[in-house]
Amino acid sequence: MTDMSLIKTLAQSTPSKIVLLVLDGLGGLPDPATGKTELETARTPNLDQLAASGVCGLSVPVGAGITPGSAPGHTALFGYDPLQVSIGRGVLEAVGIDFPIEPGDVLSRGNFCTVDAAGNVTDRRAGRITTELNASLCPQLEMTIEDARVLTAPVKEHRLVVAFRGPGLSPEVTESDPQHTGVSPAPVTALVPPAGKMARIANEFAARAGQRLAGKHPANMVLLRGFSRKPDLASMQEIYRLKPAAIATYPMYRGLARLVGMDILTTGQTLDDEIQTLRQHFAAYDFFFVHVKKLDAAGEDGDFARKVHGLEEIDRAIPGIVDLKPDVIVVTGDHSTPAVMGGHSWHPVPTLLHGRFCRPDRVTEFDEAACLQGGLGIFPATDIMPLAMANALKLNKYGA
Amino acid sequence: MTDMSLIKTLAQSTPSKIVLLVLDGLGGLPDPATGKTELETARTPNLDQLAASGVCGLSVPVGAGITPGSAPGHTALFGYDPLQVSIGRGVLEAVGIDFPIEPGDVLSRGNFCTVDAAGNVTDRRAGRITTELNASLCPQLEMTIEDARVLTAPVKEHRLVVAFRGPGLSPEVTESDPQHTGVSPAPVTALVPPAGKMARIANEFAARAGQRLAGKHPANMVLLRGFSRKPDLASMQEIYRLKPAAIATYPMYRGLARLVGMDILTTGQTLDDEIQTLRQHFAAYDFFFVHVKKLDAAGEDGDFARKVHGLEEIDRAIPGIVDLKPDVIVVTGDHSTPAVMGGHSWHPVPTLLHGRFCRPDRVTEFDEAACLQGGLGIFPATDIMPLAMANALKLNKYGA
């Protein structure tokens, strides 16, 4: 990857504008019936036009063979080494709901769950209770244990944030979620000696939560996982001298953007809402991260046709971005989610970069096989930001 | 390269099976008469079929322009950084014959050679004496020098292992093989001050060997090279959670496989023997390293036609592997050995990966130019194991 500290020394603030359109789970694999991937199946004239006039390639989010979660997939797209930046599930949930994290807080992702009379988990998601019920239960779980405050905040359905605030707490502990039903929640144990206090407090929290939730079936217990602390990241303002904004319908992606210093723009639940938000704020920022979730969701559900349909819907929205005449448009994904696999995968991600100064290749369609012939080659996703910056003429020359 | 410590945290044991078929010296260069490489000349319908349904590329064993020996070529294929892992010639010979190495041993590769009355080398290989004669001479070279034991073991023809066992010995010494005839064996000298003892003992060994072998013409002296110590490598079981086995007709490759923890399967001297061994043990392991020597030998001899013939013979053996239905088949080489060069070279190595979850490219033939258009691109050989593991669904997702 291009060295981030080098980028920082070369970056300059200019009026030029970059739009990074992240189509979550973009890359795919062929449908055995047709031999064509989702992108090869979908009719995407606008993306094809961008590919034809721009430069294409396949980005590798983390490394060969590595299937990324959403956090490393996005940190790489923002130009941060995904192997150096560790963002735990607890932090991710917390930043996604704008939870006011304080320095030293240990965050965990909680699940309301159901346990039987013997204390064994019968449903790890408590029948996916409503967010409203979740919100009404959360305050009952706030408490003080030793010298630590335990704070909670509802996320969605059965999910909540459980934050531990106090001196000497460490995230290096095991999870209480046993990952299976039919067994009791696991005790939290320290992975390193200094984490003994955190483990003790987490176990005491679980014990008291069980007492306080008794009779609240199906949400009569809480499981904890992803203990983590907010990483200390240089912001995109500092590194790239950008004024960056994020547009995303899902809280997790807003949270990731906030971790690297982006302003979060309020938007609606649809792609049209997101484009509308982009248009409204286009004058006020010089970098926009626009996150579209639907392809990943379809891929995770193994729904090839829905992923194809999603691509065609996104394609129809592309002119709404192009019309704004950003200096650079990048279309990529944080990872592949082939519908035939029903989950994230390690396959490189089709990527296009469109701008006045890109060197065109011979790619005329936006799909996996076509991008393989593109001018960007197969390249690390961490190179996307340096390439976007360069193409927006925001990077000075290196060396005399 | 994909970080090995990351792979270690993500690897999971599953029943899926990987076959890594290493065609030693696979890559080539065009015959000036035809303009076609060995692979382009050979008729290889089965390899072409695997290439067409799989994903292809060109692997770089060590780095651009670097011609690898067998040891770095193979350590890279096994996923170990060939620049970090140093396997000396002495160690390679010793592990290849199952020599019982003890911690601290300094191993060297010996050659019986011929010297004239003036002590000058007239044949560095002593006329390639028989292995039997070698075996009868070796015991005469065992001795004690100062507080060190010198142990020997015959390898093949004129080659032997000379092991130095005792306190304070260092492998950081020069070799006694002068690499030319007409000059006397070189004195062994210390490359660093603490290696003075090792140099002194090696020179005393050479002096006594000359006395003991006087009259044993043509094997009347021993040359030493490749002083080295066994590297301390994490095993493939530890890193990949595999149960790995090696099938190789040559001892050196069995030795390399043993260094990374593979079980060595007894096999015969032919490719058919190797395939038969693979079939017999297919149920018992989940990873097979199958090494085929003949292409490299033909390339080293500058015999283009024999290398082409070897490729066609290997191609006929491919169905014997495919019929076993491994989840992943990788066909690659540890380096190129173009017949027109008569030796190893730095050129990237044609590589194909076949499995249910590979993303097909448009490659339909298995040769150098075709692989250049493949979905793996030009990539480090150390990525082969992570890719094989991913395609066998043996790697968990990275990050939240």
Short mmCIF file of all heavy atoms in Angstrom, two decimals, chain A residues 27-30 58 63-72 82-83 87 89 336 341 344 346-348 368-370 372-373 378, chain B residues 2-3 6-7 10 356-362 373-378 383 386-387 390-393 395-400:
data_model
loop_
_atom_site.label_atom_id
_atom_site.label_comp_id
_atom_site.label_asym_id
_atom_site.label_seq_id
_atom_site.Cartn_x
_atom_site.Cartn_y
_atom_site.Cartn_z
N GLY A 27 -18.82 -7.34 -5.47
CA GLY A 27 -18.34 -8.43 -6.32
C GLY A 27 -19.14 -9.71 -6.14
O GLY A 27 -19.74 -9.95 -5.10
N GLY A 28 -19.12 -10.54 -7.19
CA GLY A 28 -19.89 -11.77 -7.13
C GLY A 28 -19.19 -12.94 -7.76
O GLY A 28 -18.00 -12.89 -8.10
N LEU A 29 -19.98 -14.01 -7.94
CA LEU A 29 -19.53 -15.23 -8.62
C LEU A 29 -20.62 -15.64 -9.59
O LEU A 29 -21.79 -15.24 -9.43
CB LEU A 29 -19.28 -16.35 -7.61
CG LEU A 29 -17.98 -16.30 -6.79
CD1 LEU A 29 -17.97 -17.42 -5.76
CD2 LEU A 29 -16.76 -16.39 -7.69
N PRO A 30 -20.28 -16.46 -10.58
CA PRO A 30 -21.29 -16.83 -11.57
C PRO A 30 -22.43 -17.67 -10.98
O PRO A 30 -22.20 -18.52 -10.12
CB PRO A 30 -20.50 -17.67 -12.59
CG PRO A 30 -19.07 -17.33 -12.37
CD PRO A 30 -18.95 -17.00 -10.92
N LEU A 58 -9.49 -4.32 -10.02
CA LEU A 58 -10.08 -5.14 -8.97
C LEU A 58 -9.31 -4.86 -7.68
O LEU A 58 -8.09 -5.06 -7.62
CB LEU A 58 -9.98 -6.62 -9.32
CG LEU A 58 -10.90 -7.05 -10.47
CD1 LEU A 58 -10.40 -8.34 -11.12
CD2 LEU A 58 -12.33 -7.24 -9.97
N GLY A 63 -6.21 -8.79 1.87
CA GLY A 63 -5.10 -9.60 1.37
C GLY A 63 -5.66 -10.80 0.64
O GLY A 63 -6.85 -11.09 0.73
N ALA A 64 -4.79 -11.49 -0.09
CA ALA A 64 -5.22 -12.64 -0.87
C ALA A 64 -5.87 -13.67 0.06
O ALA A 64 -5.30 -14.05 1.08
CB ALA A 64 -4.03 -13.26 -1.58
N GLY A 65 -7.06 -14.09 -0.31
CA GLY A 65 -7.74 -15.14 0.45
C GLY A 65 -8.44 -14.67 1.70
O GLY A 65 -9.10 -15.47 2.36
N ILE A 66 -8.31 -13.39 2.05
CA ILE A 66 -8.90 -12.91 3.30
C ILE A 66 -10.29 -12.35 3.05
O ILE A 66 -10.48 -11.43 2.26
CB ILE A 66 -8.03 -11.82 3.95
CG1 ILE A 66 -6.60 -12.32 4.14
CG2 ILE A 66 -8.64 -11.37 5.27
CD1 ILE A 66 -6.46 -13.52 5.01
N THR A 67 -11.28 -12.90 3.74
CA THR A 67 -12.65 -12.41 3.69
C THR A 67 -12.82 -11.35 4.77
O THR A 67 -12.70 -11.65 5.95
CB THR A 67 -13.63 -13.57 3.95
OG1 THR A 67 -13.49 -14.53 2.90
CG2 THR A 67 -15.06 -13.08 4.00
N PRO A 68 -13.08 -10.09 4.37
CA PRO A 68 -13.16 -9.04 5.38
C PRO A 68 -14.56 -8.86 5.97
O PRO A 68 -15.56 -9.02 5.27
CB PRO A 68 -12.77 -7.78 4.61
CG PRO A 68 -12.91 -8.12 3.17
CD PRO A 68 -13.20 -9.58 3.01
N GLY A 69 -14.59 -8.52 7.23
CA GLY A 69 -15.81 -7.99 7.80
C GLY A 69 -15.99 -6.56 7.32
O GLY A 69 -15.13 -6.00 6.62
N SER A 70 -17.10 -5.94 7.70
CA SER A 70 -17.39 -4.58 7.22
C SER A 70 -16.35 -3.57 7.70
O SER A 70 -16.00 -2.64 6.97
CB SER A 70 -18.77 -4.14 7.72
OG SER A 70 -19.75 -4.99 7.22
N ALA A 71 -15.86 -3.74 8.92
CA ALA A 71 -14.94 -2.74 9.47
C ALA A 71 -13.61 -2.73 8.71
O ALA A 71 -13.21 -1.68 8.20
CB ALA A 71 -14.73 -2.97 10.97
N PRO A 72 -12.90 -3.87 8.58
CA PRO A 72 -11.65 -3.79 7.80
C PRO A 72 -11.90 -3.45 6.34
O PRO A 72 -11.08 -2.75 5.72
CB PRO A 72 -11.04 -5.18 7.95
CG PRO A 72 -12.09 -6.05 8.51
CD PRO A 72 -13.08 -5.17 9.21
N PRO A 82 -5.89 -2.03 7.09
CA PRO A 82 -6.88 -2.78 7.86
C PRO A 82 -6.27 -3.79 8.82
O PRO A 82 -6.96 -4.32 9.69
CB PRO A 82 -7.71 -3.48 6.77
CG PRO A 82 -6.80 -3.57 5.60
CD PRO A 82 -5.90 -2.38 5.66
N LEU A 83 -4.98 -4.06 8.67
CA LEU A 83 -4.32 -4.96 9.61
C LEU A 83 -3.80 -4.21 10.83
O LEU A 83 -3.52 -4.81 11.86
CB LEU A 83 -3.17 -5.71 8.93
CG LEU A 83 -3.62 -6.65 7.81
CD1 LEU A 83 -2.40 -7.27 7.13
CD2 LEU A 83 -4.52 -7.74 8.36
N ILE A 87 -11.05 -2.50 14.86
CA ILE A 87 -12.31 -1.92 15.32
C ILE A 87 -13.20 -3.05 15.79
O ILE A 87 -13.65 -3.87 14.99
CB ILE A 87 -13.00 -1.13 14.19
CG1 ILE A 87 -12.08 0.01 13.75
CG2 ILE A 87 -14.35 -0.60 14.66
CD1 ILE A 87 -12.61 0.80 12.58
N ARG A 89 -16.43 -5.08 17.54
CA ARG A 89 -17.87 -5.05 17.33
C ARG A 89 -18.57 -4.10 18.31
O ARG A 89 -19.51 -3.40 17.94
CB ARG A 89 -18.40 -6.49 17.49
CG ARG A 89 -19.88 -6.68 17.45
CD ARG A 89 -20.51 -6.31 16.14
NE ARG A 89 -20.06 -7.11 15.02
CZ ARG A 89 -20.63 -7.09 13.81
NH1 ARG A 89 -21.67 -6.30 13.57
NH2 ARG A 89 -20.16 -7.83 12.83
N SER A 336 -16.51 -8.53 -1.65
CA SER A 336 -17.49 -9.23 -2.49
C SER A 336 -18.47 -9.99 -1.58
O SER A 336 -18.09 -10.43 -0.50
CB SER A 336 -16.79 -10.22 -3.42
OG SER A 336 -15.98 -9.53 -4.37
N MET A 341 -22.60 -17.81 -2.61
CA MET A 341 -21.97 -18.18 -1.34
C MET A 341 -22.81 -17.73 -0.15
O MET A 341 -22.59 -18.20 0.97
CB MET A 341 -20.57 -17.59 -1.24
CG MET A 341 -19.60 -18.19 -2.26
SD MET A 341 -17.89 -17.59 -2.03
CE MET A 341 -17.42 -18.50 -0.54
N HIS A 344 -20.03 -12.83 2.79
CA HIS A 344 -18.82 -12.14 2.35
C HIS A 344 -17.84 -13.14 1.77
O HIS A 344 -17.86 -14.31 2.14
CB HIS A 344 -18.12 -11.45 3.53
CG HIS A 344 -18.89 -10.33 4.16
ND1 HIS A 344 -18.30 -9.42 5.00
CD2 HIS A 344 -20.20 -9.98 4.09
CE1 HIS A 344 -19.21 -8.55 5.41
NE2 HIS A 344 -20.36 -8.88 4.88
N TRP A 346 -13.61 -13.49 -0.19
CA TRP A 346 -12.25 -12.95 -0.37
C TRP A 346 -12.00 -12.44 -1.78
O TRP A 346 -10.94 -11.89 -2.05
CB TRP A 346 -11.24 -14.08 -0.10
CG TRP A 346 -11.40 -15.21 -1.05
CD1 TRP A 346 -10.78 -15.38 -2.26
CD2 TRP A 346 -12.28 -16.34 -0.92
NE1 TRP A 346 -11.22 -16.53 -2.87
CE2 TRP A 346 -12.13 -17.14 -2.08
CE3 TRP A 346 -13.19 -16.75 0.07
CZ2 TRP A 346 -12.86 -18.33 -2.28
CZ3 TRP A 346 -13.90 -17.93 -0.12
CH2 TRP A 346 -13.73 -18.69 -1.29
N HIS A 347 -12.96 -12.60 -2.68
CA HIS A 347 -12.68 -12.26 -4.08
C HIS A 347 -12.49 -10.76 -4.27
O HIS A 347 -13.22 -9.95 -3.69
CB HIS A 347 -13.83 -12.75 -4.96
CG HIS A 347 -14.06 -14.23 -4.88
ND1 HIS A 347 -14.89 -14.80 -3.94
CD2 HIS A 347 -13.54 -15.26 -5.59
CE1 HIS A 347 -14.88 -16.12 -4.09
NE2 HIS A 347 -14.07 -16.43 -5.08
N PRO A 348 -11.54 -10.37 -5.11
CA PRO A 348 -11.30 -8.95 -5.37
C PRO A 348 -12.57 -8.25 -5.87
O PRO A 348 -13.47 -8.88 -6.43
CB PRO A 348 -10.20 -8.97 -6.44
CG PRO A 348 -9.47 -10.25 -6.23
CD PRO A 348 -10.54 -11.23 -5.81
N GLU A 368 -16.65 -8.15 -13.25
CA GLU A 368 -15.42 -8.73 -12.70
C GLU A 368 -14.40 -9.04 -13.79
O GLU A 368 -13.22 -8.68 -13.67
CB GLU A 368 -15.74 -10.00 -11.90
CG GLU A 368 -16.55 -9.77 -10.61
CD GLU A 368 -18.05 -9.69 -10.87
OE1 GLU A 368 -18.48 -9.75 -12.05
OE2 GLU A 368 -18.80 -9.57 -9.87
N ALA A 369 -14.83 -9.77 -14.82
CA ALA A 369 -13.87 -10.18 -15.86
C ALA A 369 -13.36 -8.97 -16.63
O ALA A 369 -12.18 -8.90 -16.99
CB ALA A 369 -14.50 -11.20 -16.79
N ALA A 370 -14.24 -8.02 -16.90
CA ALA A 370 -13.82 -6.82 -17.64
C ALA A 370 -12.81 -6.01 -16.82
O ALA A 370 -11.79 -5.55 -17.35
CB ALA A 370 -15.03 -5.97 -17.99
N LEU A 372 -10.70 -6.99 -14.79
CA LEU A 372 -9.41 -7.69 -14.79
C LEU A 372 -8.49 -7.16 -15.89
O LEU A 372 -7.27 -7.26 -15.78
CB LEU A 372 -9.70 -9.18 -15.00
CG LEU A 372 -8.66 -10.20 -14.64
CD1 LEU A 372 -8.17 -10.00 -13.22
CD2 LEU A 372 -9.28 -11.60 -14.78
N GLN A 373 -9.07 -6.62 -16.93
CA GLN A 373 -8.28 -6.07 -18.04
C GLN A 373 -8.02 -4.58 -17.87
O GLN A 373 -7.47 -3.94 -18.77
CB GLN A 373 -9.02 -6.31 -19.38
CG GLN A 373 -9.46 -7.75 -19.62
CD GLN A 373 -8.30 -8.73 -19.59
OE1 GLN A 373 -7.25 -8.46 -20.14
NE2 GLN A 373 -8.49 -9.86 -18.92
N ILE A 378 -4.99 -5.56 -10.44
CA ILE A 378 -5.46 -6.10 -9.16
C ILE A 378 -4.63 -5.37 -8.12
O ILE A 378 -3.41 -5.47 -8.12
CB ILE A 378 -5.24 -7.62 -9.09
CG1 ILE A 378 -5.97 -8.32 -10.24
CG2 ILE A 378 -5.70 -8.15 -7.73
CD1 ILE A 378 -5.62 -9.80 -10.36
N THR B 2 0.12 -11.84 2.10
CA THR B 2 -0.86 -11.90 3.19
C THR B 2 -0.14 -12.36 4.46
O THR B 2 0.63 -13.30 4.44
CB THR B 2 -1.99 -12.87 2.82
OG1 THR B 2 -2.65 -12.37 1.66
CG2 THR B 2 -3.00 -12.97 3.95
N ASP B 3 -0.41 -11.64 5.54
CA ASP B 3 0.31 -11.86 6.78
C ASP B 3 0.03 -13.25 7.35
O ASP B 3 -1.11 -13.65 7.54
CB ASP B 3 -0.12 -10.78 7.77
CG ASP B 3 0.71 -10.80 9.01
OD1 ASP B 3 1.91 -10.50 8.90
OD2 ASP B 3 0.19 -11.16 10.07
N LEU B 6 -1.87 -13.49 10.59
CA LEU B 6 -3.31 -13.30 10.37
C LEU B 6 -3.95 -14.62 9.93
O LEU B 6 -5.00 -15.02 10.46
CB LEU B 6 -3.54 -12.23 9.30
CG LEU B 6 -4.98 -12.02 8.85
CD1 LEU B 6 -5.85 -11.55 10.01
CD2 LEU B 6 -5.05 -11.02 7.70
N ILE B 7 -3.31 -15.29 8.99
CA ILE B 7 -3.83 -16.58 8.53
C ILE B 7 -3.99 -17.53 9.72
O ILE B 7 -4.99 -18.24 9.84
CB ILE B 7 -2.87 -17.20 7.49
CG1 ILE B 7 -2.76 -16.31 6.26
CG2 ILE B 7 -3.32 -18.61 7.10
CD1 ILE B 7 -4.02 -16.18 5.46
N LEU B 10 -7.12 -17.03 11.56
CA LEU B 10 -8.37 -17.25 10.82
C LEU B 10 -8.56 -18.70 10.39
O LEU B 10 -9.68 -19.10 10.03
CB LEU B 10 -8.39 -16.36 9.56
CG LEU B 10 -8.25 -14.85 9.78
CD1 LEU B 10 -8.25 -14.13 8.44
CD2 LEU B 10 -9.38 -14.33 10.67
N ARG B 356 -14.54 -25.00 -6.44
CA ARG B 356 -15.94 -24.63 -6.64
C ARG B 356 -16.17 -23.12 -6.54
O ARG B 356 -17.08 -22.58 -7.17
CB ARG B 356 -16.76 -25.36 -5.58
CG ARG B 356 -18.24 -25.23 -5.75
CD ARG B 356 -18.98 -26.07 -4.71
NE ARG B 356 -20.28 -25.52 -4.46
CZ ARG B 356 -20.98 -25.69 -3.35
NH1 ARG B 356 -20.49 -26.44 -2.39
NH2 ARG B 356 -22.15 -25.13 -3.20
N PHE B 357 -15.37 -22.45 -5.72
CA PHE B 357 -15.64 -21.03 -5.45
C PHE B 357 -14.66 -20.08 -6.11
O PHE B 357 -14.59 -18.91 -5.74
CB PHE B 357 -15.67 -20.79 -3.94
CG PHE B 357 -16.74 -21.58 -3.24
CD1 PHE B 357 -16.40 -22.64 -2.41
CD2 PHE B 357 -18.07 -21.31 -3.46
CE1 PHE B 357 -17.39 -23.38 -1.78
CE2 PHE B 357 -19.07 -22.05 -2.85
CZ PHE B 357 -18.73 -23.09 -2.00
N CYS B 358 -13.88 -20.59 -7.09
CA CYS B 358 -13.00 -19.63 -7.75
C CYS B 358 -13.82 -18.85 -8.79
O CYS B 358 -14.82 -19.33 -9.32
CB CYS B 358 -11.79 -20.32 -8.37
SG CYS B 358 -12.16 -21.46 -9.66
N ARG B 359 -13.41 -17.63 -8.99
CA ARG B 359 -14.10 -16.76 -9.95
C ARG B 359 -13.44 -16.98 -11.31
O ARG B 359 -12.28 -16.61 -11.50
CB ARG B 359 -13.97 -15.31 -9.52
CG ARG B 359 -14.71 -14.34 -10.44
CD ARG B 359 -14.37 -12.92 -10.06
NE ARG B 359 -15.15 -12.45 -8.93
CZ ARG B 359 -14.83 -11.38 -8.20
NH1 ARG B 359 -13.72 -10.71 -8.47
NH2 ARG B 359 -15.59 -10.99 -7.20
N PRO B 360 -14.14 -17.58 -12.26
CA PRO B 360 -13.50 -17.90 -13.54
C PRO B 360 -13.04 -16.64 -14.28
O PRO B 360 -13.65 -15.58 -14.18
CB PRO B 360 -14.62 -18.60 -14.34
CG PRO B 360 -15.64 -19.00 -13.33
CD PRO B 360 -15.55 -17.99 -12.23
N ASP B 361 -11.93 -16.80 -14.98
CA ASP B 361 -11.47 -15.73 -15.86
C ASP B 361 -11.68 -16.23 -17.30
O ASP B 361 -12.44 -17.16 -17.53
CB ASP B 361 -10.01 -15.40 -15.56
CG ASP B 361 -9.16 -16.65 -15.44
OD1 ASP B 361 -9.41 -17.62 -16.19
OD2 ASP B 361 -8.25 -16.68 -14.60
N ARG B 362 -11.03 -15.58 -18.25
CA ARG B 362 -11.26 -15.97 -19.64
C ARG B 362 -10.11 -16.83 -20.18
O ARG B 362 -9.98 -17.01 -21.39
CB ARG B 362 -11.47 -14.73 -20.49
CG ARG B 362 -12.80 -14.05 -20.15
CD ARG B 362 -12.95 -12.65 -20.74
NE ARG B 362 -14.18 -12.02 -20.25
CZ ARG B 362 -14.48 -10.75 -20.43
NH1 ARG B 362 -13.66 -9.96 -21.10
NH2 ARG B 362 -15.61 -10.25 -19.94
N GLN B 373 -3.42 -13.28 -18.49
CA GLN B 373 -4.77 -12.71 -18.58
C GLN B 373 -5.67 -13.22 -17.45
O GLN B 373 -6.87 -12.95 -17.44
CB GLN B 373 -5.41 -13.09 -19.93
CG GLN B 373 -4.56 -12.73 -21.14
CD GLN B 373 -4.25 -11.26 -21.22
OE1 GLN B 373 -5.12 -10.43 -20.98
NE2 GLN B 373 -3.01 -10.92 -21.53
N GLY B 374 -5.10 -13.97 -16.53
CA GLY B 374 -5.92 -14.65 -15.54
C GLY B 374 -6.33 -13.81 -14.35
O GLY B 374 -5.79 -12.74 -14.10
N GLY B 375 -7.27 -14.33 -13.63
CA GLY B 375 -7.88 -13.63 -12.50
C GLY B 375 -6.98 -13.49 -11.29
O GLY B 375 -7.28 -12.71 -10.39
N LEU B 376 -5.89 -14.24 -11.24
CA LEU B 376 -4.97 -14.09 -10.11
C LEU B 376 -3.91 -13.04 -10.40
O LEU B 376 -3.17 -12.64 -9.49
CB LEU B 376 -4.29 -15.43 -9.79
CG LEU B 376 -5.22 -16.57 -9.35
CD1 LEU B 376 -4.42 -17.86 -9.16
CD2 LEU B 376 -5.95 -16.21 -8.05
N GLY B 377 -3.81 -12.63 -11.67
CA GLY B 377 -2.82 -11.63 -12.02
C GLY B 377 -1.40 -12.16 -11.82
O GLY B 377 -1.15 -13.36 -11.87
N ILE B 378 -0.48 -11.24 -11.62
CA ILE B 378 0.91 -11.58 -11.27
C ILE B 378 0.99 -11.36 -9.76
O ILE B 378 0.75 -10.25 -9.29
CB ILE B 378 1.90 -10.67 -12.01
CG1 ILE B 378 1.72 -10.83 -13.53
CG2 ILE B 378 3.34 -11.01 -11.60
CD1 ILE B 378 2.55 -9.85 -14.34
N ASP B 383 1.06 -16.06 -1.63
CA ASP B 383 -0.41 -15.94 -1.58
C ASP B 383 -1.10 -17.25 -1.96
O ASP B 383 -2.33 -17.37 -1.80
CB ASP B 383 -0.90 -14.84 -2.54
CG ASP B 383 -0.69 -13.44 -1.96
OD1 ASP B 383 -0.35 -13.32 -0.77
OD2 ASP B 383 -0.88 -12.48 -2.72
N PRO B 386 -2.83 -18.96 1.24
CA PRO B 386 -4.07 -18.28 1.65
C PRO B 386 -5.20 -18.44 0.63
O PRO B 386 -6.36 -18.63 1.01
CB PRO B 386 -3.64 -16.81 1.78
CG PRO B 386 -2.19 -16.87 2.08
CD PRO B 386 -1.65 -18.08 1.35
N LEU B 387 -4.87 -18.39 -0.66
CA LEU B 387 -5.92 -18.54 -1.68
C LEU B 387 -6.48 -19.97 -1.66
O LEU B 387 -7.69 -20.16 -1.76
CB LEU B 387 -5.37 -18.21 -3.06
CG LEU B 387 -5.11 -16.71 -3.32
CD1 LEU B 387 -4.29 -16.52 -4.58
CD2 LEU B 387 -6.44 -15.95 -3.42
N ALA B 390 -8.66 -20.28 1.41
CA ALA B 390 -9.93 -19.57 1.25
C ALA B 390 -10.86 -20.37 0.35
O ALA B 390 -12.04 -20.58 0.68
CB ALA B 390 -9.68 -18.18 0.66
N ASN B 391 -10.35 -20.84 -0.76
CA ASN B 391 -11.19 -21.58 -1.70
C ASN B 391 -11.67 -22.91 -1.14
O ASN B 391 -12.67 -23.44 -1.60
CB ASN B 391 -10.45 -21.77 -3.03
CG ASN B 391 -10.57 -20.55 -3.93
OD1 ASN B 391 -11.55 -20.42 -4.66
ND2 ASN B 391 -9.61 -19.64 -3.85
N ALA B 392 -10.94 -23.45 -0.17
CA ALA B 392 -11.40 -24.67 0.50
C ALA B 392 -12.28 -24.33 1.71
O ALA B 392 -12.62 -25.22 2.49
CB ALA B 392 -10.19 -25.50 0.94
N LEU B 393 -12.63 -23.05 1.85
CA LEU B 393 -13.46 -22.56 2.96
C LEU B 393 -12.85 -22.90 4.30
O LEU B 393 -13.55 -23.29 5.25
CB LEU B 393 -14.90 -23.09 2.84
CG LEU B 393 -15.63 -22.78 1.54
CD1 LEU B 393 -17.10 -23.25 1.62
CD2 LEU B 393 -15.58 -21.30 1.20
N LEU B 395 -10.82 -20.59 5.88
CA LEU B 395 -10.43 -19.33 6.55
C LEU B 395 -11.68 -18.60 7.01
O LEU B 395 -12.58 -18.32 6.22
CB LEU B 395 -9.65 -18.43 5.59
CG LEU B 395 -8.22 -18.81 5.24
CD1 LEU B 395 -7.61 -17.75 4.32
CD2 LEU B 395 -7.36 -18.99 6.48
N ASN B 396 -11.72 -18.27 8.28
CA ASN B 396 -12.83 -17.48 8.79
C ASN B 396 -12.70 -16.02 8.37
O ASN B 396 -11.64 -15.58 7.93
CB ASN B 396 -12.85 -17.55 10.33
CG ASN B 396 -13.28 -18.91 10.81
OD1 ASN B 396 -14.32 -19.42 10.39
ND2 ASN B 396 -12.49 -19.53 11.67
N LYS B 397 -13.78 -15.29 8.54
CA LYS B 397 -13.82 -13.87 8.20
C LYS B 397 -12.91 -13.08 9.13
O LYS B 397 -12.77 -13.41 10.30
CB LYS B 397 -15.27 -13.37 8.33
CG LYS B 397 -15.51 -11.97 7.87
CD LYS B 397 -17.00 -11.70 7.67
CE LYS B 397 -17.78 -11.65 8.98
NZ LYS B 397 -19.17 -11.22 8.78
N TYR B 398 -12.31 -12.03 8.59
CA TYR B 398 -11.44 -11.16 9.39
C TYR B 398 -12.18 -9.90 9.79
O TYR B 398 -12.63 -9.14 8.93
CB TYR B 398 -10.19 -10.77 8.58
CG TYR B 398 -9.38 -9.67 9.20
CD1 TYR B 398 -8.75 -9.87 10.43
CD2 TYR B 398 -9.25 -8.43 8.58
CE1 TYR B 398 -8.02 -8.86 11.03
CE2 TYR B 398 -8.51 -7.41 9.17
CZ TYR B 398 -7.90 -7.64 10.39
OH TYR B 398 -7.19 -6.63 10.97
N GLY B 399 -12.27 -9.66 11.07
CA GLY B 399 -12.78 -8.39 11.57
C GLY B 399 -14.29 -8.33 11.67
O GLY B 399 -15.01 -9.13 11.07
N ALA B 400 -14.77 -7.37 12.44
CA ALA B 400 -16.20 -7.22 12.70
C ALA B 400 -16.91 -6.63 11.48
O ALA B 400 -16.29 -5.98 10.66
CB ALA B 400 -16.42 -6.32 13.91
#
